[in-house]
Amino acid sequence: MRLAERVAHMTGEGSDGWEIYYRARDLAAGGVTVVNLTIGEHDIRTDPRILAAMAESARAGNTGYTVGAGKPELRRAIAERVSARTGVPTGPENVIVTPGGQAALFAAHMVTLDPGDTGLYCDPYYATYPGTIRATGARDVAVPTRPENGFQPEARAIAARAKGARSLLINTPNNPTGAVYTRPTLEAVAEVVRDHDLWLISDEVYDTQLWSGDHQSPRALPGMAERTLVVGSLSKSHAMTGSRIGWLIAPEPVVAAVTALATNTTYGLPGYIMDAGLAALSLGPDFEAEVSGPFRRRRDLALARLGQANLLRLVPSGGAMYVMVDVRATGLSGEAFALRLLEHERIAVMPGESFGQAASGHIRIALTVADDLLDDALGRLLAFAESLATSD
Ligand code: PLP
């Protein structure tokens, strides 16, 4: 039997860096000790206070169907957090709760793109972006960013691809590069978006993982609230990846469209997960700082270890739980470097190539193991890179 075209096109072709992740997992399952620095999963588990609220809610009977855009109290709490963090007046009517940021990304593209439209996104990119856009039947077009420009999006590159486009997807703090978009960058992006009458889909799931200054949302820029859809999540900020709870912030008609979509797809979130989300948000900014603290420390550790390296260049990282390293001076691609590193040192990192063309010749290191383990792994990674130079 034939499957639908949109499914066949969703995954695309090209290099699949996930091979390293699967290989590392297989090695670990076979009893081999591997330092796994591949995926963005915290090394802590969800806080017991959040779990207690989840269990209490489930025991109290919140195990039935839920409807609509999410519990009113939760929508209000999310709206208050967004207003406080970005300064943009936001009400519960601007919020729909989704099963994670990924579902919000999918919904945002579903309600803004028709089949045959073009959806833009910046390269390097989070692995699901092209498939998410293609799943709508639209054409995915990557806008390259450049390492020599700190992987900041450039207005000219966006404008050059904007003809026929309906949306632009950006992500700050950025996965995989760790780049935090500057205010001038966001202003230039906003100008192109307005000039070409695009929707801006702003993925801000790392908004609490910022190593200096405050998080800036492009939704706060003049004329942007009515065309910006912000993707948020408790996955990274509250170490709740498995609870699948996130949201989309958008103008009311967009929230209505996403609610209709949810009625025909996810059917909303479990009530006890929403109550856990409420409990998580009630822990406030101090708790968010506690969850993000280890990544800041480990970013500093990576800077101390790799900042002065001869063969490796650490991409300056302003946020998110990753650092990118340029390995081109070793003469290897990111993929070949990562494969050899796994083989020789039992350290698993993601090849830049799995995040697009712009990150080729790079590796991404997730800062997701204990400090001493990371420090040791970075030392071995450096020695491994140097051994490549001397063995030629
Ligand atoms: N956006 C980015 C940039 C991510 O890195 C991730 C997950 O790693 C997501 C969205 C999806 O997160 P979730 O669906 O867990 O909220």
Side-chain angles (χ1 to χ4, degrees):
M1 293 294 288
R2 193 178 72 85
L3 288 173
E5 285 285 311
R6 87 172 68 80
V7 179
H9 288 151
M10 212 160 64
T11 47
E13 317 86 32
S15 135
D16 179 4
W18 292 96
E19 188 192 326
I20 306 250
Y21 168 70
Y22 295 123
R23 217 183 260 202
R25 226 179 39 174
D26 290 348
L27 281 170
V32 178
T33 304
V34 174
V35 184
N36 195 334
L37 308 175
T38 52
I39 62 167
E41 178 95 59
H42 312 67
D43 50 327
I44 55 162
R45 300 289 82 196
T46 302
D47 190 274
R49 287 166 291 179
I50 301 174
L51 296 179
M54 190 187 293
E56 201 178 305
S57 169
R59 280 198 209 98
N62 286 310
T63 54
Y65 287 127
T66 60
V67 283
K71 277 183 93 130
E73 310 89 289
L74 179 59
R75 293 174 77 195
R76 204 171 316 119
I78 294 168
E80 277 164 15
R81 181 178 183 272
V82 170
S83 304
R85 290 179 67 82
T86 65
V88 190
T90 306
E93 67 282 2
N94 299 120
V95 180
I96 173 164
V97 184
T98 58
Q102 179 56 39
L105 277 167
F106 178 69
H109 286 97
M110 277 298 280
V111 302
T112 54
L113 293 173
D114 279 318
D117 284 343
T118 293
L120 303 175
Y121 62 105
C122 298
D123 177 357
Y125 50 82
Y126 172 52
T128 66
Y129 284 3
T132 300
I133 294 171
R134 284 198 288 260
T136 70
R139 212 164 61 94
D140 63 302
V141 173
V143 179
T145 63
R146 297 177 296 141
E148 55 274 28
N149 192 36
F151 291 109
Q152 299 275 321
E154 292 168 81
R156 211 154 9 117
I158 299 167
R161 292 159 183 84
K163 198 161 176 279
R166 298 264 307 268
S167 64
L168 168 69
L169 169 57
I170 62 169
N171 170 222
T172 181
N174 188 270
N175 175 14
T177 64
V180 170
Y181 297 171
T182 63
R183 178 140 185 131
T185 293
L186 290 174
E187 282 169 349
V189 166
E191 193 177 331
V192 181
V193 160
R194 284 190 306 262
D195 286 352
H196 293 270
D197 198 20
L198 303 179
W199 291 101
L200 182 64
I201 300 170
S202 179
D203 181 343
E204 302 179 20
V205 302
Y206 293 100
D207 68 345
T208 59
Q209 297 181 1
L210 201 75
W211 314 141
S212 69
D214 292 329
H215 171 66
Q216 303 208 30
S217 173
R219 182 167 171 265
L221 296 173
M224 292 306 289
E226 67 252 34
R227 60 171 72 244
T228 304
L229 281 54
V230 176
V231 173
S233 172
L234 294 179
S235 285
K236 312 293 179 179
S237 58
H238 291 73
M240 291 181 70
T241 51
S243 292
R244 311 310 303 137
I245 178 163
W247 55 79
L248 191 70
I249 309 296
E252 269 187 87
V254 175
V255 170
V258 174
T259 307
L261 181 69
T263 304
N264 293 285
T265 51
T266 61
Y267 226 76
L269 270 76
Y272 54 90
I273 295 291
M274 288 195 273
D275 284 339
L278 252 177
L281 288 174
S282 77
L283 296 173
D286 286 352
F287 178 74
E288 295 177 5
E290 206 179 293
V291 175
S292 68
F295 303 116
R296 173 197 297 259
R297 233 175 29 231
R298 294 169 194 164
R299 194 285 307 244
D300 291 347
L301 213 146
L303 200 60
R305 270 282 185 194
L306 305 179
Q308 305 302 323
N310 285 328
L311 274 172
L312 304 177
R313 195 186 73 84
L314 189 70
V315 174
S317 155
M321 60 214 295
Y322 316 95
V323 290
M324 271 216 131
V325 178
D326 185 342
V327 300
R328 285 176 291 185
T330 65
L332 296 182
S333 67
E335 200 157 6
F337 186 94
L339 276 169
R340 282 167 71 167
L341 184 68
L342 181 60
E343 195 179 311
H344 291 277
E345 298 294 332
R346 300 298 188 218
I347 298 170
V349 296
M350 290 299 284
E353 289 80 4
S354 52
F355 306 104
Q357 305 237 313
S360 60
H362 290 69
I363 54 169
R364 187 195 74 175
I365 302 171
L367 305 170
T368 48
V369 295
D371 298 22
D372 54 345
L373 201 56
L374 180 70
D375 195 37
D376 177 66
L378 293 177
R380 287 197 286 131
L381 187 150
L382 191 56
F384 169 73
E386 277 159 8
S387 76
L388 289 173
T390 50
S391 66
D392 285 344

